[in-house]
Amino acid sequence: MIHCTRALPFLILLVGVSCLGQDIQRFPPPDFESGYEFPVTTTPAPRAGTLNYLDVAVLFMALSLASYLALIKRSRQGIFALTIFSLLYFGFYREGCVCSIGAIQNVTLALFDPSYSVPFTVAVFFFLPLLFALFFGRVFCAGVCPLGAIQDMMLIRPVKIPHWLLPALGLLAYLYLGVAILFAATGSAFIICEYDPFVTFFRLAGNRNIVILGISLLVISLFVGRPYCLFLCPYGVLLHHFTRLTQWQVTVSPNECLQCQLCEEACPFGAIDPPTPKGMPAPNKQDRFRLVFLILLVPIFIAVGGWVASLAADSFSRMHFTVRLAEQIAWEDASEVDKFTEASQVFRDTGQPKEALFQEARHVRDRFVLGAWILGGFLGLVIAGKLIGLSRYRIRSDYEINATDCLACGRCFSYCPQEIKRRRKSKSAPTVRQEAGNG
Amino acid sequence: MVSSNQEFTRRRLLKDGFRNVCILGIGGASGILMARGQTDQYCWQIDPQKCIACGNCATFCVLEESAVKCVQTYAMCGYCKLCTGFFDPAPNALNTGAENQLCPTGAIIRTFVEDPYYEYTIDESLCIGCGKCVKWCKAFGNGSFYLQVRHDRCVNCNQCAIAAACPSEAFQRVPADQPYLLKGTNHSG
């Protein structure tokens, strides 16, 4: 045993820092004569597994209740109360994790990486709201999602967003979904979780930039209804398309529409479409030609999208640890720096062959090139789909809720004169009607 | 009127069909994913063999006070009088004065056991997970100090912020029924 203070710097010189990495039993543990016994290292258990089933149960109950409140009870107050509960439970109590939006990445990773098995809770959180969307529409958005809840409560002075701007900004969500899936499938990062704007509020702690992002979004949501849900939410994209097949959907009024336009004014999400104007001409030859032309253009959109995205494949691939490390090491070797980064130093200390690392990085990059082509093709298809959707001729005789965009918040109910009349008159009127399928 | 009615039916039929396909798809996909997984849940843990005690754990955790703390495997510890994990590399004196300690928060408790042995215990309420003691213990001692995610504190984020910042890929998902990667106790003493 060394007793002298001065010995320590010498000791440092002697042993050197190079032995980081493996444990060396330099000093044999003592044989105690005083009967001392080694204390045991404590291992506090993580959150009990049974509580995860509680989360699943709460999710199911909340989704059922949201469906009931939006479709049968038709109560904005009820939905609002459920929203507060979800914000408290899934938001502040569960601190934003587990969440359906982030679960996209776990499911993706599980599909592409056989060694990763998705936890039961996460799978349920991913699939259950989609299943509900097939029957009741986006009731998850209405009262269950804590991210939606926190924004919904901020909305005090809704500003009308121009109708042409909504689908354009909505493309961002597809981009976000595609990129998130690309990064999750390649095992690079879970960006939806990293850039979750509101989780810092739920945890009352977190990265400064994310706090700024969250505050900005909350300020925007004072005027624009749920900006994250409308323009960014990747899970919203999935719910949007599953809701196309919904069996039942929210209606403004179960009775005849008076075409008073009040509901359209009331909807902060632009989800209520006005009736077709009286003087609107029927589609002519030119309109039909444009539609056919756009449909024929779809493969070109896909190809161009894929090509453009493949240009970014190299930048994307740097999100992967191995690629970053390989590039760093190659750069350090080429420019003969004498100070390595921590990651590079760790790799060098392990003494693994660099060629194997470069090989793996190339392999990852190849996967990114393929992934970027698919991502770009997907985005091209989405843009083409939006254009085709805009060129389609639809006839609406009344103000109708567009189920795929409707977040089932229930704001429009109390604006409809027919609904007010119905509420006064009787409680037994039929409230849910089979979706007529004219969307 | 008839034609529109027919269209209505065809549309309904297609929609119902697609919906059933989707339900089957959801069922199938969740079945496949479930069949693979035996673990009910994962949590994050640090592989002490890969950890380089860079200090990121103290700053990158989403919690104000990191969920990563130093732990001590007593059976590996040398019980040194001059503990390189405890004392500053150039101490003024070998006593427990704060200026002589390596730990910035004084979270290591040094207790006399018997001459010349001292026990070193981590006060987890003070430890910030900076890993300074870990680095020096590993470099010049037995490496019985090492960092672990403490699951009474960890909120188990889907994407651990420290894992994303870890330079040595020491963070990994481990099954929740074996949530710690403790160092072995394979010493002869």
Side-chain angles (χ1 to χ4, degrees):
Chain A
M1 197 61 45
I2 308 147
H3 291 273
C4 178
T5 322
R6 305 242 177 267
L8 203 51
F10 289 105
L11 185 77
I12 293 164
L13 284 175
L14 201 70
V15 187
V17 194
S18 61
C19 42
L20 269 172
Q22 58 281 318
D23 295 319
I24 303 167
Q25 198 80 22
R26 296 190 182 87
F27 309 103
D31 292 318
F32 294 107
E33 287 158 9
S34 57
Y36 171 87
E37 278 184 26
F38 295 122
V40 180
T41 311
T42 56
T43 52
R47 190 170 179 267
T50 44
L51 283 174
N52 295 326
Y53 295 103
L54 176 70
D55 293 343
V56 169
V58 172
L59 174 74
F60 182 78
M61 299 292 285
L63 282 169
S64 310
L65 194 59
S67 310
Y68 169 75
L69 290 170
L71 295 167
I72 298 172
K73 190 89 193 331
R74 298 170 60 79
S75 156
R76 168 70 191 152
Q77 284 82 5
I79 293 172
F80 189 72
L82 180 64
T83 306
I84 294 175
F85 166 78
S86 299
L87 180 63
L88 293 178
Y89 186 86
F90 295 112
F92 288 100
Y93 168 62
R94 293 298 294 120
E95 298 184 318
C97 217
V98 51
C99 113
S100 299
I101 309 173
I104 297 171
Q105 304 162 116
N106 300 68
V107 172
T108 309
L109 181 61
L111 289 175
F112 285 87
D113 177 4
S115 66
Y116 175 74
S117 53
V118 63
F120 168 76
T121 332
V122 177
V124 172
F125 267 75
F126 179 73
F127 288 115
L128 202 57
L130 294 178
L131 202 61
F132 268 76
L134 286 177
F135 291 98
F136 311 111
R138 296 173 69 169
V139 288
F140 174 76
C141 305
V144 187
C145 178
L147 278 73
I150 195 168
Q151 295 171 85
D152 209 70
M153 277 166 201
M154 297 298 287
L155 182 60
I156 47 170
R157 193 156 188 83
V159 174
K160 256 261 150 326
I161 314 164
H163 245 287
W164 54 269
L165 194 60
L166 273 174
L169 284 173
L171 284 174
L172 281 175
Y174 288 88
L175 178 68
Y176 196 14
L177 174 70
V179 173
I181 287 181
L182 177 65
F183 287 149
T186 51
S188 311
F190 276 17
I191 56 164
I192 299 175
C193 298
E194 266 179 65
Y195 297 100
D196 183 337
F198 303 115
V199 81
T200 51
F201 298 121
F202 299 150
R203 292 173 177 164
L204 304 174
N207 183 304
R208 178 161 42 104
N209 294 339
I210 305 295
V211 174
I212 294 171
L213 175 71
I215 291 175
S216 323
L217 276 171
L218 282 187
V219 170
I220 296 174
S221 47
L222 291 171
F223 308 106
V224 178
R226 298 206 193 183
Y228 183 83
C229 308
L230 259 56
F231 311 131
L232 290 171
C233 182
Y235 197 65
V237 171
L238 300 181
L239 287 171
H240 173 97
H241 287 286
F242 272 76
T243 304
R244 281 177 192 278
L245 304 171
T246 188
Q247 186 146 23
W248 296 285
Q249 72 166 82
V250 181
T251 52
V252 184
S253 160
N255 299 327
E256 200 188 339
C257 175
L258 294 177
Q259 311 219 343
C260 64
Q261 208 186 337
L262 284 173
C263 57
E264 195 203 5
E265 296 293 322
C267 181
F269 312 118
I272 297 181
D273 294 326
T276 325
K278 283 265 157 46
M280 191 162 155
N284 56 25
K285 207 173 169 186
Q286 200 188 345
D287 294 334
R288 292 203 181 94
F289 178 74
R290 188 174 62 225
L291 187 60
V292 172
F293 180 65
L294 278 173
I295 291 172
L296 290 176
L297 272 182
V298 169
I300 297 175
F301 269 101
I302 294 176
V304 171
W307 176 71
V308 170
S310 72
L311 297 179
D314 264 6
S315 316
F316 283 146
S317 71
R318 279 188 204 113
M319 284 293 278
H320 198 281
F321 182 83
T322 310
V323 177
R324 233 174 16 235
L325 180 63
E327 282 192 356
Q328 177 69 27
I329 285 180
W331 177 78
E332 282 171 357
D333 287 355
S335 52
E336 289 174 6
V337 288
D338 39 288
K339 192 156 176 14
F340 303 129
T341 61
E342 273 169 342
S344 151
Q345 187 65 54
V346 171
F347 177 79
R348 286 165 199 273
D349 288 344
T350 59
Q352 285 163 7
K354 283 178 197 160
E355 200 37 58
L357 179 77
F358 294 153
Q359 181 75 34
E360 201 194 325
R362 271 195 296 276
H363 175 68
V364 173
R365 202 174 282 140
D366 288 345
R367 288 187 68 191
F368 263 99
V369 170
L370 177 67
W373 271 98
I374 296 172
L375 168 69
F378 164 71
L379 290 176
L381 182 68
V382 168
I383 294 171
K386 289 256 177 191
L387 288 176
I388 290 171
L390 289 173
S391 306
R392 268 174 65 199
Y393 185 79
R394 288 172 218 198
I395 300 169
R396 277 181 300 269
S397 51
D398 294 323
Y399 282 90
E400 278 166 13
I401 292 182
N402 185 347
T404 56
D405 293 333
C406 174
L407 302 178
C409 68
R411 280 191 178 81
C412 53
F413 298 155
S414 61
Y415 282 80
C416 179
Q418 291 284 59
E419 170 73 6
I420 296 168
K421 209 155 69 180
R422 181 191 71 85
R423 282 185 193 173
R424 281 208 201 110
K425 258 166 83 178
S426 86
K427 304 267 175 197
S428 59
T431 48
V432 181
R433 79 168 178 217
Q434 199 88 14
E435 209 252 319
N438 44 9
Chain B
M1 204 58 214
V2 176
S3 70
S4 80
N5 225 344
Q6 264 178 358
E7 194 187 62
F8 168 76
T9 325
R10 193 192 306 145
R11 204 180 239 281
R12 275 281 303 283
L13 182 75
L14 276 173
K15 213 170 159 182
D16 287 352
F18 277 128
R19 187 182 316 117
N20 290 333
V21 168
C22 276
I23 294 167
L24 283 178
I26 288 178
S30 47
I32 290 168
L33 291 176
M34 289 293 147
R36 192 193 293 160
Q38 271 84 45
T39 41
D40 208 22
Q41 205 71 34
Y42 285 92
C43 47
W44 293 97
Q45 195 47 273
I46 301 171
D47 182 348
Q49 304 303 334
K50 286 185 177 173
C51 173
I52 57 160
C54 64
N56 281 355
C57 289
T59 48
F60 278 87
C61 184
V62 296
L63 299 173
E64 198 55 39
E65 180 195 334
S66 178
V68 173
K69 305 265 178 193
C70 179
V71 298
Q72 158 82 302
T73 292
Y74 295 93
M76 278 177 73
C77 180
Y79 287 80
C80 310
K81 187 171 183 181
L82 175 68
C83 171
T84 53
F86 181 80
F87 287 110
D88 187 90
N92 292 322
L94 283 184
N95 59 39
T96 54
E99 75 277 15
N100 303 325
Q101 290 186 31
L102 188 61
C103 180
T105 57
I108 305 174
I109 305 161
R110 184 176 191 248
T111 351
F112 175 73
V113 182
E114 60 182 64
D115 195 52
Y117 302 125
Y118 287 82
E119 184 196 87
Y120 297 91
T121 308
I122 308 291
D123 181 351
E124 282 195 11
S125 63
L126 292 175
C127 178
I128 56 166
C130 67
K132 283 196 171 72
C133 59
V134 175
K135 200 165 199 162
W136 287 81
C137 177
K138 199 168 188 174
F140 308 112
N142 287 352
S144 66
F145 280 154
Y146 53 99
L147 295 174
Q148 288 282 283
V149 177
R150 305 303 275 169
H151 289 295
D152 49 343
R153 296 190 44 77
C154 177
V155 292
N156 200 13
C157 302
N158 206 11
Q159 169 70 71
C160 171
I162 316 175
C166 180
S168 59
E169 285 202 302
F171 267 76
Q172 45 189 258
R173 289 185 170 92
V174 295
D177 47 358
Q178 288 169 318
Y180 290 91
L181 295 169
L182 296 179
K183 279 192 179 177
T185 51
N186 53 340
H187 82 90
S188 49

